[in-house]
Amino acid sequence: ELRSSEKRSLVLWLFMESTKINQASIRPIRFHHTESDIEQNIKDAFAILPEAKGIATRYGEQAVEHYNLLRATLLPLQEHSVYFLDLTRSNSSLSKKVCEELELLCDNPEAYNADNSLPEDYIRKKIAEAAKNGTAIMILPLNNKIQKELENIQERLQKQGTEITTLESLVELRQ
């Protein structure tokens, strides 16, 4: 159902070096990996979801602060022509710098965080942000509760004159 939606943006979620993930996380990108290991990890991810328009990391706050690891991770993205979303909220992130060097589209939007917000509060905040600023990026996990919260979002947005568009168009717009 998601793959047939016009406004969906499928994004690969990478687990990268972080204090928030443990050894049980499936194939995270770690400091000790070689560039070849990292490139293979990215290739494997695209083999699973070849139509992905971008890559994101949420639990990778140590990785985005480490220049060499981040560069090795983002370098393979050039051949796929995809964007990178740094969702770590790290103040020391080097994502912007590395993305500029590699001429990649990158952004660091605020994703929903179940640790400090309810889905309905996050959605309300993003709808207000869109009305105020002209754009907003809403990043939510897909589950039944979220899906129920989004059931009437189209009507709510139309009432305030806001249009739903693709994530890639907003990333490009915000560059």
Side-chain angles (χ1 to χ4, degrees):
E1 188 177 321
L2 276 178
R3 288 182 177 182
S4 65
S5 171
E6 290 179 27
K7 301 297 184 182
R8 59 87 170 109
S9 293
L10 297 175
V11 177
L12 295 168
W13 288 76
L14 293 182
F15 288 102
M16 298 169 69
E17 193 70 52
S18 171
T19 59
K20 298 174 185 169
I21 60 172
N22 59 34
Q23 297 296 338
S25 296
I26 297 176
R27 300 177 61 190
I29 295 173
R30 300 280 193 188
F31 291 131
H32 66 272
H33 289 155
T34 65
E35 284 186 28
S36 178
D37 293 337
I38 294 169
E39 184 176 7
Q40 187 60 51
N41 192 314
I42 304 254
K43 282 182 182 178
D44 292 346
F46 275 104
I48 294 168
L49 196 63
E51 67 269 35
K53 302 291 185 197
I55 286 191
T57 188
R58 179 178 195 132
Y59 303 111
E61 79 285 347
Q62 290 179 308
V64 299
E65 295 173 1
H66 190 275
Y67 179 84
N68 291 333
L69 179 60
L70 185 58
R71 184 172 171 81
T73 302
L74 297 183
L75 196 56
L77 302 189
Q78 289 178 314
E79 73 182 69
H80 293 282
S81 300
V82 297
Y83 54 82
F84 176 70
L85 299 177
D86 178 351
L87 306 176
T88 64
R89 306 307 287 169
S90 169
N91 292 331
S92 302
S93 174
L94 300 172
S95 294
K96 184 176 180 177
K97 176 183 179 182
V98 174
C99 286
E100 286 174 359
E101 289 175 8
L102 297 176
E103 298 180 357
L104 292 173
L105 289 176
C106 297
D107 204 343
N108 61 346
E110 176 190 9
Y112 169 70
N113 184 347
D115 295 337
N116 63 15
S117 178
L118 296 171
E120 55 270 22
D121 294 337
Y122 174 81
I123 292 167
R124 191 176 316 113
K125 176 183 170 187
K126 289 298 181 174
I127 289 172
E129 180 182 325
K132 180 180 178 186
N133 300 333
T135 66
I137 294 176
M138 191 180 303
I139 300 175
L140 296 154
L142 186 61
N143 60 43
N144 290 335
K145 181 175 172 125
I146 301 287
Q147 192 168 355
K148 184 165 176 51
E149 290 294 328
L150 294 174
E151 280 178 356
N152 67 349
I153 194 163
Q154 186 86 18
E155 296 163 11
R156 291 167 63 188
L157 292 172
Q158 283 178 342
K159 285 180 184 176
Q160 74 178 30
T162 300
E163 176 187 349
I164 295 177
T165 187
T166 62
L167 182 57
E168 26 318 353
S169 65
L170 285 176
V171 170
E172 288 175 13
L173 179 69
R174 291 164 49 122
Q175 292 303 302

